[in-house]
Amino acid sequence: MNHTALQLLLAGLVVLPLVGALAALLPAPPGLRGKNPDQAVLRHGVTVTGVVLAAAIALAAGFDHGHPARMQATTDISWIPALGIRIHLGVDGISLPLLVLTALLTFLCALYSYFRMPTGPSPKAFVALLLTLEAGTLATFAVLDLMLFFLAFEMVLIPMYFLIARWGGAQKQAAAWKFILYTLLGSVVMLLGLLLIGLKSGTFDMVALVTDNGPKAQLSHTVQLLAVLAIGIGLAVKSPMWPLHSWLPDAHTAAPTVGSVLLAGVLLKMGTYGFVRIALPITPGGMHTFAPYLAALAAVGIIYGSLACLALVRKGAGGDLKRLIAYSSVGHMGFVLLGIASMTPTGVNGALFANIAHGLITGLLFFMVGALKDRTGSTDLDTLARSAPGPRPAGSGAAALLPAPSGAALYARAPRFGGLLAFGAVASLGLPGLAGFWGEMLAMFGAFRPAAGLSRPAFLTFMVLAGLGTLLTAAYLLLVVRRVCMGGSVDLAGAAVLGAADPDGETGADPDGTPASAPAVPDLARYEYASWTPLAALTVLAGLWPAALLGLTDPAVQQLLGGGK
């Protein structure tokens, strides 16, 4: 595909969602209204996001895969000459997978919303905000000017705020305010760091700043330290890095289903992408100084997120499944930050792979938890576990440990739904052969042998903590499967037996010992198959064929870490 066609495709990716957002607010033409105006605007959202996804796939197909380190489909136009700000767009092997992931998840969210619109105000505003959010996210991954990056980075905050505040669940206003305050304050600090780089180097052009003998040569070590500190705070809030993560669980728990999918699937990736695109190549000296601290906080985040999830999954803790998956993101993104902090090609490639894997797997899990709430009216783990099998007849041996076949757990009530939920859980815990495995493994390999000048004993300690985190992750996700899908009672203070009798009635048994009846749970619907199958299929594909993604990212990472060479 020629350069002009690629230019148009990349520009279209950014502009088309904005045009679609404006069109969503206008009355639908008479021939496109369908049964009612609400249906028309939701169909408009599916159409626009579908066209954007098709453009992203065409861009990926036309991309020169033989030279993924070279910036392609570039557009470079002067915008504000007095400040040296340019409309500079481009895509390489680092940004291309994130562009496609964003377009895919937004399309699947629009498709899901067409059949399951969240409760709230007019669908017109919902679709317009969804498309504006897509435009800002795509622009973040496509722009090559520091000021445009900041504007795109901020552009997503207002749509997400309103999606949470107007279409969210309980405590939505408080969660929305917490989200906007944390991210805005972090962004103000980040802006200072970006301005410092631009003013000291004389340019905001990210491509020029990557080169060792280019404008970044004007950045002294002190300037790099200040810039990394300021930019890192803003990026860490969005990543989210412990201890700047506390806005995330509330935002995820209150957000509508599609809001949670996009927040976890693409918005969190903007922070880690900024570390790879800006902090690592433009301020390597400052990054080298702060790398051990970033790695330490990442390792703490991995352990903290896992322990928080274990606390939530305990019987009687009143844990919320949606909140648990939100805390799991803190741990998973800790692996991404650990890989970045190693400052090695292996670690950074692992971070980029883990980014994509997390978007696919956690997006699927949030879709399913939202659908589970629609079916049962709750995401409370204790409530979900009460639909468990009744106790088995007295006996001994292995048979006594198995759930009763007449039980009403999710496997029995909606087997395909329960099976897919279990698939998402084992993918999230990093089962070999699925996408979640490679990113975490490569991030730990990067920590095993960090960049020259970094303390190897310290990074080996962080690697061991990350390894412990993988075990804790497996523990809480398997417990989730046991409670929700198999109906087992779980008490981390003592023995856990599947289907065992429970004093508080969690087994769902009547006083006479017979299994209590449970309301029917509809199995997967057609629109759910359409919305979720691509995520499950790509999770398997990325796990079995990691070279497809690593072949794109590795040359670009090597060039970034090599000073543009």
Side-chain angles (χ1 to χ4, degrees):
M1 189 178 294
N2 62 45
H3 178 68
T4 302
L6 289 176
Q7 272 185 314
L8 293 174
L9 282 172
L10 185 58
L13 281 178
V14 177
V15 174
L16 185 59
L18 283 177
V19 175
L22 292 174
L25 300 175
L26 301 175
L32 299 176
R33 288 177 184 169
K35 295 179 181 178
N36 56 66
D38 290 350
Q39 185 191 54
V41 74
L42 291 171
R43 187 168 57 240
H44 169 79
V46 175
T47 302
V48 174
T49 55
V51 172
V52 171
L53 175 59
I57 294 173
L59 178 66
F63 185 82
D64 183 359
H65 292 261
H67 300 87
R70 178 167 56 86
M71 201 60 68
Q72 302 178 38
T74 54
T75 299
D76 192 1
I77 303 170
S78 178
W79 184 34
I80 308 177
L83 299 177
I85 300 175
R86 307 180 67 83
I87 298 177
H88 193 182
L89 306 177
V91 61
D92 64 358
I94 293 173
S95 54
L96 180 63
L98 291 167
L99 288 169
V100 176
L101 176 67
T102 300
L104 173 64
L105 284 177
T106 311
F107 169 71
L108 296 180
C109 286
L111 180 63
Y112 185 83
S113 299
Y114 180 78
F115 295 95
R116 180 68 70 174
M117 172 68 194
T119 303
S122 165
K124 280 190 172 186
F126 176 83
V127 171
L129 290 169
L130 190 68
L131 292 173
T132 305
L133 182 67
E134 179 180 33
T137 310
L138 289 169
T140 302
F141 300 136
V143 298
L144 298 172
D145 183 276
L146 291 178
M147 288 298 99
L148 282 186
F149 176 85
F150 174 77
L151 292 176
F153 198 85
E154 296 305 290
M155 182 178 172
V156 304
L157 301 184
I158 301 303
M160 182 54 71
Y161 166 81
F162 281 109
L163 285 174
I164 297 172
R166 303 300 297 277
W167 286 271
Q171 305 296 321
K172 58 186 179 182
Q173 292 291 343
W177 274 111
K178 196 171 185 179
F179 162 76
I180 199 74
L181 289 176
Y182 263 77
T183 50
L184 276 179
L185 288 174
S187 297
V188 169
V189 180
M190 183 178 72
L191 177 61
L192 296 177
L194 296 175
L195 289 172
L196 180 63
I197 291 175
L199 294 175
K200 291 295 184 178
S201 66
T203 182
F204 291 105
D205 188 275
M206 294 158 70
V207 175
L209 284 165
V210 167
T211 311
D212 277 341
N213 58 358
K216 82 173 181 184
Q218 306 298 319
L219 302 177
S220 66
H221 186 66
T222 301
V223 169
Q224 290 193 35
L225 286 176
L226 293 174
V228 168
L229 182 61
I231 295 171
I233 289 174
L235 297 176
V237 170
K238 189 68 73 71
S239 291
M241 182 186 76
W242 182 91
L244 303 175
H245 69 285
S246 61
W247 61 270
L248 182 72
D250 292 338
H252 269 308
T253 305
T257 297
V258 296
S260 293
V261 170
L262 292 176
L263 184 57
V266 293
L267 263 68
L268 302 189
K269 314 302 177 283
M270 294 164 61
T272 52
Y273 173 79
F275 275 110
V276 175
R277 180 65 74 190
I278 299 173
L280 275 177
I282 297 176
T283 54
M287 190 67 185
H288 192 278
T289 299
F290 283 109
Y293 305 102
L294 178 61
L297 293 175
V300 171
I302 293 170
I303 299 297
Y304 170 82
S306 299
L307 292 177
C309 291
L310 280 171
L312 288 172
V313 81
R314 290 184 70 249
K315 186 186 70 176
D320 186 279
L321 183 55
K322 200 174 183 182
R323 193 174 188 86
L324 182 146
I325 297 173
Y327 271 110
S328 77
S329 291
V330 177
H332 289 308
M333 298 309 290
F335 282 98
V336 177
L337 293 170
L338 179 62
I340 293 170
S342 74
M343 298 186 70
T344 62
T346 301
V348 176
N349 276 303
L352 294 172
F353 198 104
N355 256 346
I356 301 299
H358 180 264
L360 296 172
I361 298 168
T362 308
L364 174 62
L365 286 173
F366 274 120
F367 265 134
M368 299 200 72
V369 173
L372 189 61
K373 184 173 184 179
D374 291 337
R375 285 163 163 79
T376 64
S378 175
T379 53
D380 179 80
L381 280 162
D382 290 331
T383 301
L384 294 173
R386 287 192 184 101
S387 296
R392 299 185 65 85
S396 60
L401 298 179
L402 297 175
S406 58
L410 197 56
Y411 279 158
R413 300 162 72 190
R416 289 184 293 275
F417 191 100
L420 189 58
L421 181 61
F423 167 83
V426 297
S428 184
L429 64 83
L431 185 72
L434 298 176
F437 170 75
W438 297 104
E440 295 181 1
M441 183 191 71
L442 290 173
M444 287 192 287
F445 278 176
F448 179 75
R449 197 174 298 278
L454 295 177
S455 170
R456 193 176 181 214
F459 272 81
L460 285 175
T461 303
F462 304 146
M463 184 196 72
V464 170
L465 290 175
L468 175 61
T470 62
L471 298 178
L472 296 175
T473 300
Y476 72 74
L477 285 170
L478 290 176
L479 292 177
V480 167
V481 172
R482 171 186 283 179
R483 299 199 71 191
V484 177
C485 298
M486 303 174 70
S489 80
V490 177
D491 187 350
L492 299 183
V497 179
L498 294 178
D502 217 349
D504 63 3
E506 184 173 298
T507 57
D510 290 329
D512 61 359
T514 60
S517 61
V521 174
D523 217 330
L524 295 179
R526 291 181 181 177
Y527 71 92
E528 291 172 335
Y529 275 115
S531 302
W532 304 345
T533 300
L535 300 178
L538 288 172
T539 297
V540 174
L541 180 63
L544 296 178
W545 190 26
L549 185 56
L550 293 174
L552 280 174
T553 61
D554 185 55
V557 168
Q558 297 275 2
Q559 181 167 299
L560 279 183
L561 295 180
K565 300 173 185 175

